């Protein structure tokens, strides 16, 4: 009798705990719902394209264009605007999706390629619902989970091999450039051709603080080309991956999509596109066409079907010339980064990048100061990566790497890789400051800069790449 009573008591307590968790979830969801709605109502309305204007949307994977801007696409088509959709990869590097959609066995090279073709088909079907012709969709066919590698100097010219398809060039017969070798320069060439030929008035592409490496790299490649071409296109950025954002609120289908708290007041201005119920329903229909993804992340995808779509603008800035001989670098802030946003941020304060400051000294040197949340550590790697431009032409790429206290500086110019020994880097508490002599950037009018913290070959945190005018 005692045993049975104890068992009933344990079941009763378990039910109480589950009920308490359910109530807590409802309370948290309600607070998030109210907070998001209040926050969005204080954001500005997005500047929408007008009939006759040209629009291009660039997506890292098949489905990102619909998640980030599907309702916008539907609205544009209804107004007679046919946007061009550029998809960087076919999403063929997703083992979980390959396993769920093809037999529960170790996935083969063919399975991943078949997944890529299937995701292409889903993109065409989803965009057809929104009114986009297949002729306006361009699949570049670069490696899923490999775009970040293509952005690095190592694979800028030397081919990268996908660990999923085992290919070092596009295996897709309908790739924009047939059998394109997996190199960064080929990505640039494809984007340059598409953007220069179409000359969009509006271009939508990923936010530089998106936590997915392919999204981050898609931003880098796109912004690189836009900086090179010097277009007048209105640039809007959309976000798909940022930790637990967006919170899945299936009980609140009428909730707004608000920006992550840590990405507010970090230099980007957030704007919203308010949607009608019909537009929300149409976007939801389009999202459901991605059946391979719905099988593994249905609620995450549907979380983007809210009362609005969310976009950011991140205007270019300028590096100033300091009039004094010993300037305070903190007064020349260039970029702010979210703080405490790493999974292991409590033990990786040294890798949590906070900001970048920069100026040109009275001696015409370029000084850049990278600040971390914790003390600069020899167990963490830090790098300054920058492209210099002169009237739209890339002059050179300079990479300054500080790994385990060892400094390596490399200049990439006209196909040559030149080690440099006269660049100084100093470490002081939480800052790492690089001084670059004028000889390495003389004549440049713009610079495209990004910074990364790493451990070994693993990227931990990065500042958003931004373009700056030089004095």
């Amino acid at each position: 009798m005692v045993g049975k009573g104890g068992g009933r008591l344990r079941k009763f307590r378990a039910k109480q705990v589950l009920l308490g968790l359910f109530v807590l979830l409802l309370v948290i969801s309600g607070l998030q719902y109210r907070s998001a709605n209040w926050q969005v109502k204080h954001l500005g309305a997005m500047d929408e394209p007008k009939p006759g204007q040209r629009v291009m949307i660039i997506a890292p994977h098949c489905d990102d264009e619909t998640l980030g801007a599907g309702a916008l696409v539907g609205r544009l088509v209804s107004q007679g605007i046919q946007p061009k959709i550029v998809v960087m990869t076919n999403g063929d590097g997703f083992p979980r999706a390959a396993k769920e959609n093809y037999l529960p066995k170790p996935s083969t090279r063919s399975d991943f390629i078949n997944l890529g073709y299937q995701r292409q088909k889903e993109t065409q079907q989803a965009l057809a619902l929104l009114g986009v012709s297949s002729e306006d969709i361009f699949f570049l066919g670069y490696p899923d989970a490999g775009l970040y590698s293509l952005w690095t100097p190592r694979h800028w010219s030397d081919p990268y091999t996908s660990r999923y398809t085992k290919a070092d060039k596009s295996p897709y017969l309908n790739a924009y450039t047939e059998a394109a070798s997996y190199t960064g320069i080929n990505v640039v060439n494809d984007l340059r051709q598409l953007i220069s030929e179409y000359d969009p008035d509006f271009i939508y592409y990923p936010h530089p603080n998106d936590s997915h490496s392919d999204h981050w790299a898609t931003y880098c490649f796109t912004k690189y080309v836009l900086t090179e071409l010097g277009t007048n296109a209105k640039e809007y950025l959309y976000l798909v991956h940022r930790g637990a954002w967006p919170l899945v609120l299936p009980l609140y289908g009428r909730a707004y999509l608000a920006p992550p708290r840590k990405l507010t007041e970090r230099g980007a201005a957030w704007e919203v596109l308010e949607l009608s119920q019909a537009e929300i329903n149409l976007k939801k229909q389009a999202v459901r066409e991605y059946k391979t993804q719905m099988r593994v992340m249905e609620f995450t995808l549907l979380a983007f079907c809210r009362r609005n779509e969310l976009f950011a603008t991140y205007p270019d800035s300028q590096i100033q010339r300091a009039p004094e001989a010993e300037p305070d670098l903190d007064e020349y802030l260039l970029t702010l980064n979210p703080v405490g946003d790493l999974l292991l941020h409590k033990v990786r304060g040294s890798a949590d990048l906070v900001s970048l400051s920069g100026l040109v000294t009275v001696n015409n040197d370029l000084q850049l100061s990278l600040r971390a949340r914790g003390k600069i550590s020899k167990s963490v790697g830090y790098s300054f990566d920058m492209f210099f431009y002169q009237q739209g032409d890339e002059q050179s790429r300079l990479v300054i790497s500080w790994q385990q206290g060892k400094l390596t500086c490399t200049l990439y110019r006209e196909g040559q890789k030149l080690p440099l020994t006269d660049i100084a880097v100093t470490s002081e508490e939480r800052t790492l400051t690089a001084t670059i002599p004028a000889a390495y950037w003389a004549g440049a009018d713009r610079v495209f800069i990004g910074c990364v913290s790493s451990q070994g070959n693993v990227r931990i945190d990065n500042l958003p790449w931004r373009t700056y005018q030089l004095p």
Side-chain angles (χ1 to χ4, degrees):
M1 293 293 292
V2 175
K4 289 183 179 179
R8 290 195 202 98
L9 182 60
R10 283 194 295 272
K11 289 182 180 179
F12 177 72
R13 286 176 176 171
K15 289 180 180 178
Q16 282 186 314
V17 170
L18 289 174
L19 179 61
L21 290 174
F22 179 70
V23 171
L24 180 61
L25 178 62
L26 287 179
V27 171
I28 292 174
S29 297
L31 291 174
Q32 290 288 345
Y33 172 73
R34 290 174 177 270
S35 174
N37 288 4
W38 179 89
Q39 188 177 358
V40 168
K41 287 177 181 179
H42 288 77
L43 298 178
M46 188 186 78
D47 183 16
E48 297 182 48
K50 297 177 175 58
Q53 292 186 308
R54 297 176 298 278
V55 176
M56 178 176 284
I57 299 171
I58 300 178
H61 313 102
C62 302
D63 73 6
D64 289 319
E65 77 298 323
T66 302
L67 297 177
L72 171 66
V73 170
R75 182 179 296 186
L76 293 176
V77 173
S78 71
Q79 296 173 348
I81 301 173
Q82 276 289 333
K84 303 292 183 183
I85 312 295
V86 178
V87 186
M88 302 282 283
T89 82
N90 295 324
D92 53 21
F94 195 172
R96 185 180 167 199
K99 182 177 180 180
E100 290 292 329
N101 289 280
Y102 302 99
L103 300 176
K105 58 179 179 60
S107 300
T108 66
R109 173 181 185 272
S110 296
D111 289 336
F112 287 113
I113 294 175
N114 288 337
L115 176 63
Y117 274 121
Q118 181 60 29
R119 293 191 68 177
Q120 284 186 355
K121 184 178 178 181
E122 291 168 353
T123 299
Q124 292 170 332
Q125 292 170 335
L127 290 173
L129 273 177
L130 299 174
V132 178
S133 167
S134 60
E135 295 178 354
D136 291 319
I137 307 171
F138 303 91
F139 298 105
L140 303 193
Y142 289 99
D144 184 14
L147 290 181
Y148 169 65
S149 294
L150 270 58
W151 178 250
T152 63
R154 179 181 178 185
H155 293 294
W156 193 255
S157 301
D158 295 333
Y160 165 87
T161 300
S162 167
R163 62 181 180 272
Y164 302 105
T165 66
K166 311 302 181 187
D168 63 359
K169 59 185 177 182
S170 179
Y172 300 99
L173 299 177
N174 60 349
Y176 178 69
T177 297
E178 186 177 354
S181 180
Y182 285 165
T183 65
I185 193 62
N186 280 346
V187 178
V188 167
N189 290 337
D190 283 354
L191 288 177
R192 181 192 295 123
Q193 184 169 340
L194 284 162
I195 294 173
S196 60
E197 287 183 357
Y198 188 57
D199 190 21
D201 299 297
F202 285 76
I203 188 163
Y204 300 81
Y205 60 108
H207 193 286
N209 279 116
D210 194 299
S211 56
H212 193 299
S213 61
D214 282 341
H215 288 241
W216 178 73
T218 296
Y219 167 86
C220 291
F221 280 116
T222 305
K223 187 62 178 176
Y224 173 98
V225 172
L226 292 173
T227 302
E228 178 190 63
L229 295 176
T231 70
N232 293 318
K234 177 78 172 182
E235 301 173 35
Y236 275 111
L237 310 167
Y238 62 87
L239 186 67
V240 174
H241 298 275
R242 190 69 195 179
W245 182 93
L247 291 176
V248 179
L249 300 174
L251 298 178
Y252 297 99
R254 290 292 293 165
Y256 281 100
L257 185 65
R261 180 178 58 84
K262 288 185 179 294
L263 290 188
T264 58
E265 299 181 0
R266 285 295 180 270
W270 292 93
E271 300 176 10
V272 298
L273 180 72
E274 290 263 7
L275 307 179
S276 68
Q277 188 59 51
E279 289 174 324
I280 297 171
N281 293 340
L282 181 59
K283 178 173 181 175
K284 191 177 296 185
Q285 280 184 268
V287 168
R288 289 189 181 279
E289 288 297 319
Y290 294 97
K291 295 180 173 58
T292 59
Q293 308 309 293
M294 290 291 286
R295 290 191 182 102
V296 294
M297 53 174 65
E298 177 179 357
F299 290 120
T300 300
L301 269 60
L302 293 177
F304 286 89
C305 301
R306 304 286 182 95
R307 294 178 65 172
N308 66 291
E309 287 184 330
L310 186 67
F311 301 94
T313 58
Y314 216 152
D316 295 345
S317 185
Q318 184 166 359
I319 294 178
Q320 302 290 336
R321 186 182 296 278
E324 64 270 34
E326 296 183 3
D328 182 357
L329 268 165
D330 290 340
E331 296 180 3
Y332 293 84
L333 180 67
L334 298 177
T335 305
L336 279 172
N337 202 46
V339 180
D341 58 332
L342 304 180
L343 292 176
L344 298 176
H345 69 273
K346 290 184 179 180
V347 295
R348 294 277 181 88
S350 298
D352 193 0
L353 303 184
V354 173
S355 64
L356 178 70
S357 299
L359 55 82
V360 174
T361 69
V362 292
N363 296 325
N364 221 29
D365 295 331
L366 175 61
Q367 275 195 346
L368 299 172
S369 183
L370 177 64
R371 180 179 290 273
R373 184 172 58 84
K375 188 176 180 179
I376 297 297
S377 170
K378 290 185 178 181
S379 66
V380 176
Y382 306 89
S383 66
F384 301 83
D385 193 353
M386 62 204 83
F387 292 88
F388 293 101
Y389 295 84
Q390 183 179 34
Q391 297 180 346
D393 293 327
E394 181 207 317
Q395 282 189 310
S396 60
R397 180 177 193 172
L398 175 61
V399 180
I400 302 171
S401 178
W402 197 83
Q403 301 279 342
Q404 297 181 334
K406 182 181 178 181
L407 177 63
T408 304
C409 304
T410 308
L411 185 71
Y412 300 85
R413 177 184 287 169
E414 297 178 350
Q416 292 185 312
K417 179 180 176 181
L418 307 172
L420 304 178
T421 58
D422 55 347
I423 291 179
V425 173
T426 57
S427 171
E428 182 178 352
E429 288 296 320
R430 299 181 181 184
T431 61
L432 200 66
T433 302
T435 301
I436 304 161
Y440 300 123
W441 63 276
D445 50 33
R446 282 176 296 173
V447 60
F448 187 35
I449 307 176
C451 297
V452 171
S453 66
S454 60
Q455 197 154 44
N457 294 321
V458 179
R459 177 176 61 96
I460 301 176
D461 197 15
N462 58 267
L463 292 177
W465 279 75
R466 292 188 66 184
T467 300
Y468 304 94
Q469 293 182 357
L470 289 166

